[in-house]
Amino acid sequence: MLKGYSPLQIFLLFTFLFTLIPTLVGFIRYKRLRVKYKVLLWLCVVTFFMDGWSTLFWLQKTNNIFISNFHTLIQFGLISYIYHLSFKDFVPRNFILWVGLGFLVLFTANMMFYQGFSLMNTYSKTLESVILIVYALMSFYKFANELKIERISEYSMFWFSSGILIYFSSNIFIFILSNFL
């Protein structure tokens, strides 16, 4: 099955398995998880299955970009919901809902009229990156204003927001420039 693939391609084939470890740990501890961590677990589950599905298409040498495009939408929705749960009493109640609906409209318009289903949906990925970076920065602002946390290094939302900030601020340039590469 793996004949004709380079060692790098074989390594890339199995990278989707890295989401399996946090997924298994999440299911083992599921009853003890708070709601936002359950949402994060479901993000891991969705990512695992979409990466696996994408890998199967790749092995068959079939275009799998549409999977990544829909993963962008699901990822944005789940991460936004995590921030919605974290921002109670910090932003207006429906703020993230309205931002999410705006993203959905722009995502759909981009898929239907501009980049389509078979091309990398870079405009939506760039917009997702900008919005999630803003959420992460809002989260840091919330931490600084509330001053309820004694040891920020032990606060999970700090690490989650740090990861969001690093990942999406790094990849925003890739998403923007990928149309020109």
Side-chain angles (χ1 to χ4, degrees):
M1 179 174 151
L2 298 177
K3 290 181 181 178
Y5 294 104
S6 71
L8 177 62
Q9 289 173 317
I10 293 170
F11 173 75
L12 292 175
L13 172 67
F14 292 104
T15 57
F16 81 95
L17 292 174
F18 290 117
T19 56
L20 187 59
I21 295 169
T23 302
L24 291 176
V25 170
F27 279 121
I28 290 168
R29 300 187 63 186
Y30 192 79
K31 288 182 181 179
R32 293 181 285 185
L33 294 177
R34 289 188 291 183
V35 175
K36 62 184 166 187
Y37 302 122
K38 289 179 181 180
V39 175
L40 183 58
L41 171 63
W42 286 108
L43 177 60
C44 289
V45 169
V46 166
T47 299
F48 175 76
F49 282 108
M50 290 192 123
D51 284 352
W53 190 26
S54 179
T55 301
L56 289 175
F57 274 78
W58 175 68
L59 285 172
Q60 296 173 356
K61 297 181 178 21
T62 304
N63 187 348
N64 60 5
I65 297 296
F66 72 95
I67 298 168
S68 174
N69 293 338
F70 285 109
H71 183 264
T72 299
L73 184 62
I74 294 168
Q75 174 180 267
F76 178 80
L78 291 173
I79 293 173
S80 292
Y81 187 58
I82 290 170
Y83 278 114
H84 171 74
L85 294 171
S86 297
F87 287 163
K88 287 184 179 177
D89 303 325
F90 181 68
V91 297
R93 185 169 184 220
N94 291 328
F95 172 75
I96 291 182
L97 174 67
W98 286 108
V99 171
L101 288 174
F103 179 81
L104 178 62
V105 167
L106 294 172
F107 177 88
T108 304
N110 187 38
M111 290 274 286
M112 300 298 287
F113 304 115
Y114 296 107
Q115 291 183 309
F117 294 91
S118 60
L119 295 174
M120 183 64 81
N121 208 326
T122 56
Y123 300 141
S124 295
K125 287 185 180 293
T126 302
L127 179 61
E128 174 195 31
S129 296
V130 169
I131 293 170
L132 294 180
I133 288 168
V134 169
Y135 288 170
L137 293 174
M138 288 170 58
S139 184
F140 291 130
Y141 182 78
K142 179 184 176 210
F143 302 152
N145 273 352
E146 289 181 350
L147 298 174
K148 292 180 182 176
I149 305 161
E150 289 181 28
R151 294 182 185 169
I152 195 135
S153 63
E154 295 177 4
Y155 188 60
S156 60
M157 276 309 290
F158 169 77
W159 292 110
F160 179 78
S161 293
S162 296
I164 293 292
L165 186 63
I166 292 168
Y167 177 79
F168 285 100
S169 62
S170 299
N171 283 339
I172 194 168
F173 298 107
I174 294 171
F175 298 148
I176 291 170
L177 298 174
S178 64
N179 286 336
F180 305 105
L181 299 176

